[in-house]
Amino acid sequence: MNKKKKLFSIAASAVIAAPIIFTTSSFAGANASGIQSKLERQLSVNRIIKDIERLSMDELLQDNKDNARVTGFEGEHEAANYILGQFNNLGLNTEMRTINNIDGFIDEGATCTVNGTNVTVKTMTYSQSTTGTVEGELVYAGLGRINDKDNDFKDVDLNGKIALIKRGEISFAEKAKNAFANGAIGVIIYNKDPGMVNGTLGSLDDSKGPTVGMAKEDGDSLVTKLKAGETINTSLQVKTLIKPNSNSYNVIGEIPAHNNSKDPKTIVIGAHFDSVSCPGANDNASGTATILELAKLLSQPEIKDKLQYNVRFVAFGAEEIGLIGSDEYVAQLVESGEAKNIAGMINLDMVGVGENLVTYNLNDTSDHKVTDIAEASIKELGYEYGGHFNSGSSDHAPFEDAGIPSVFIQFSKDPYYHTDEDTVDKVDPQNIYKTSMVVLDMIMDINDKKQDKLNNIVKVNKVYENQEMPRK
């Protein structure tokens, strides 16, 4: 494959101790294009699809395929063992780190009626169950704030009633706690953007009663009626299954640098493997299976013997309940001092369904150098690029918080997100292929950091959109 040359200069940050040079001369020699062609030929989308099926269907959990890898439950633990076994089979340096004090949560469904008409709602993670059905008058409570400046409950009577609250400004948990403290028997939080809210209360400690999300369209309609003086009688039923004091895992497999064994830096390629209570094929068996295939390709002797960076694959647990796995992993990097040796992080989350490849960073102030490489690879490979956005809703976020250059790569958008329709048959093999090729292209570009290239560095200055785009 012919590729034009691209060079990026990485400046020292609070975490990265010394400048690192990212370039495209792949494996620093005439064999670069040959190696890349070989990797492309050996890339097996069928293997990736089979791993997605193993992770999302009943080969791991037999009769429990609809709750394939829910955080803290048996399916997630079985998946962790499967991933560890795959890394071990490839001869990687492996480790499985336990994440303790995880509260497993399964949403078994929620129903809501307003004046006898069914309205679709989604259980907030860690919501309490109802005992049967709770019924009461619906009351609008704005943004659900209580502070020195704003008190949305000041003139609201919520005793024995159900609160309708708009998303925004404060966390879901704060909104719900404020409402229950003011006498509510249930809470509905509706979206500020089109579509359904898929949210979490953060922990069991923050769960004070039945709390559900609602689409913006339904919420706006109800607010209009309430402001017009209409009385709306509401019933709410929430069913959940909770497994307190469980655990999750981070599963690690590393290919050590061979071509530069003296204090090499490390590139992390990550994907979360847990799911909510659904098959979880795209979210995120797709990213997990892709890193397994990348590990297989890059661990071949003729490839790994040329690596100047350690390439570390990390399958993160407990992402769906608040990025717990990646947050704990990065905290360990910082505490041990290893964070200064992490050159960059590539995060794959939901790469099997959607129209366009998109990239994310945490915010406009994040280090975008790895994102620049991702964007350049996408465009040079001839793939349609859907743009760059800001999001803190996946495992790149803790790395960026620690000052480590990162990129979150995804196909957007997935209409089956967090539903029982997130099954392997929805995964597009072309999306999987494109994602794999982009990451391989990036790794080859990053691998060459020869210091004699310093005078040829092209500085890239970009303006990124100050815009949020939900990842899912």
Side-chain angles (χ1 to χ4, degrees):
M1 180 182 302
N2 292 323
K3 296 178 13 174
K4 60 185 180 182
K5 204 165 194 176
K6 52 189 177 184
L7 302 169
F8 297 86
S9 176
I10 298 287
S13 73
V15 166
I16 304 301
I20 301 168
I21 310 304
F22 289 132
T23 79
T24 52
S25 194
S26 299
F27 286 95
N31 291 329
S33 60
I35 291 172
Q36 184 164 354
S37 296
K38 181 176 181 179
L39 288 173
E40 184 176 2
R41 291 194 304 270
Q42 293 182 337
L43 171 64
S44 173
V45 173
N46 285 338
R47 264 196 307 262
I48 299 174
I49 296 296
K50 286 180 180 178
D51 275 331
I52 293 173
E53 187 170 11
R54 289 188 186 101
L55 291 165
S56 64
M57 298 296 284
D58 58 0
E59 292 190 35
L60 288 175
L61 268 189
Q62 297 184 0
D63 60 350
N64 195 24
K65 63 182 180 180
D66 289 336
N67 294 318
R69 304 176 314 281
V70 177
T71 311
F73 286 85
E74 178 188 358
E76 190 206 25
H77 299 167
E78 292 287 348
N81 286 319
Y82 176 76
I83 295 162
L84 181 67
Q86 296 299 101
F87 285 160
N88 282 329
N89 290 342
L90 295 173
L92 276 57
N93 297 336
T94 61
E95 182 181 3
M96 187 156 75
R97 298 180 184 176
T98 302
I99 307 166
N100 293 310
N101 302 316
I102 293 294
D103 293 320
F105 175 89
I106 289 179
D107 170 18
E108 295 192 321
T111 58
C112 176
T113 65
V114 292
N115 287 341
T117 300
N118 291 328
V119 178
T120 301
V121 293
K122 177 71 175 177
T123 307
M124 290 273 180
T125 301
Y126 294 129
S127 167
Q128 296 290 324
S129 290
T130 58
T131 302
T133 301
V134 296
E135 298 180 351
E137 184 181 337
L138 189 69
V139 175
Y140 179 54
L143 290 167
R145 300 164 297 182
I146 299 177
N147 55 49
D148 293 338
K149 181 181 177 183
D150 301 294
N151 185 345
D152 292 310
F153 302 93
K154 183 178 179 181
D155 300 315
V156 174
D157 177 14
L158 270 178
N159 285 314
K161 300 175 183 178
I162 295 173
L164 177 65
I165 300 175
K166 186 175 183 178
R167 179 181 189 175
E169 289 197 23
I170 60 175
S171 70
F172 299 136
E174 288 181 90
K175 293 175 187 289
K177 283 193 288 187
N178 290 342
F180 288 118
N182 278 272
I185 59 173
V187 173
I188 300 170
I189 300 174
Y190 72 96
N191 212 348
K192 62 184 176 65
D193 301 308
M196 177 62 68
V197 170
N198 287 286
T200 177
L201 300 178
S203 71
L204 283 179
D205 292 338
D206 290 325
S207 181
K208 305 302 180 185
T211 308
V212 298
M214 178 180 283
K216 178 182 187 298
E217 298 79 1
D218 292 326
D220 285 343
S221 175
L222 291 173
V223 170
T224 298
K225 293 176 181 179
L226 289 170
K227 287 184 175 180
E230 184 174 341
T231 298
I232 299 177
N233 295 311
T234 304
S235 67
L236 190 63
Q237 184 175 48
V238 177
K239 296 180 180 179
T240 67
L241 177 62
I242 295 174
K243 186 179 181 182
N245 300 315
S246 185
N247 61 279
S248 182
Y249 300 97
N250 286 330
V251 188
I252 303 160
E254 180 170 295
I255 307 170
H258 286 254
N259 201 32
N260 176 27
S261 58
K262 185 179 179 181
D263 193 28
K265 302 291 183 182
T266 299
I267 301 164
V268 174
I269 305 175
H272 78 88
F273 67 92
D274 63 319
S275 73
V276 297
S277 50
C278 68
N282 189 41
D283 185 20
N284 183 36
S286 65
T288 303
T290 299
I291 71 169
L292 291 177
E293 178 68 11
L294 294 170
K296 181 178 182 64
L297 295 174
L298 293 174
S299 63
Q300 298 174 94
E302 65 270 33
I303 308 299
K304 70 179 184 180
D305 288 349
K306 296 178 174 62
L307 290 174
Q308 299 185 69
Y309 288 79
N310 304 316
V311 180
R312 183 178 302 164
F313 301 92
V314 186
F316 298 107
E319 187 265 3
E320 294 288 1
I321 60 171
L323 313 184
I324 303 299
S326 54
D327 193 55
E328 184 162 317
Y329 179 79
V330 172
Q332 292 166 345
L333 290 178
V334 172
E335 183 178 356
S336 68
E338 189 184 359
K340 67 180 183 296
N341 290 320
I342 306 298
M345 189 270 187
I346 302 168
N347 177 45
L348 305 181
D349 192 350
M350 299 180 65
V351 296
V353 178
E355 296 299 321
N356 300 314
L357 275 163
V358 295
T359 58
Y360 300 89
N361 283 110
L362 183 58
N363 52 49
D364 290 338
T365 63
S366 299
D367 190 324
H368 291 90
K369 297 180 181 70
V370 178
T371 306
D372 291 339
I373 298 173
E375 179 180 342
S377 290
I378 291 167
K379 292 179 178 178
E380 288 183 1
L381 290 167
Y383 305 149
E384 187 170 349
Y385 182 50
H388 180 86
F389 304 92
N390 292 335
S391 173
S393 60
S394 192
D395 291 311
H396 64 298
F399 287 84
E400 292 193 44
D401 274 337
I404 297 171
S406 305
V407 64
F408 167 18
I409 297 174
Q410 180 194 68
F411 266 88
S412 183
K413 291 183 176 182
D414 182 358
Y416 314 109
Y417 161 63
H418 281 192
T419 74
D420 290 340
E421 295 301 308
D422 183 8
T423 50
V424 68
D425 58 295
K426 309 299 193 311
V427 172
D428 187 340
Q430 280 297 314
N431 288 7
I432 295 296
Y433 174 82
K434 290 175 181 178
T435 302
S436 303
M437 288 303 300
V438 166
V439 179
L440 287 171
D441 188 75
M442 290 177 68
I443 294 300
M444 294 183 72
D445 290 352
I446 292 170
N447 190 68
D448 183 3
K449 64 179 187 67
K450 288 184 176 247
Q451 296 302 306
D452 59 9
K453 307 265 186 194
L454 280 171
N455 293 329
N456 297 323
I457 295 302
V458 176
K459 294 183 179 179
V460 178
N461 296 311
K462 284 180 164 286
V463 177
Y464 286 87
E465 297 175 71
N466 185 16
Q467 175 183 355
E468 280 192 13
M469 176 179 174
R471 72 180 175 100
K472 304 166 181 178

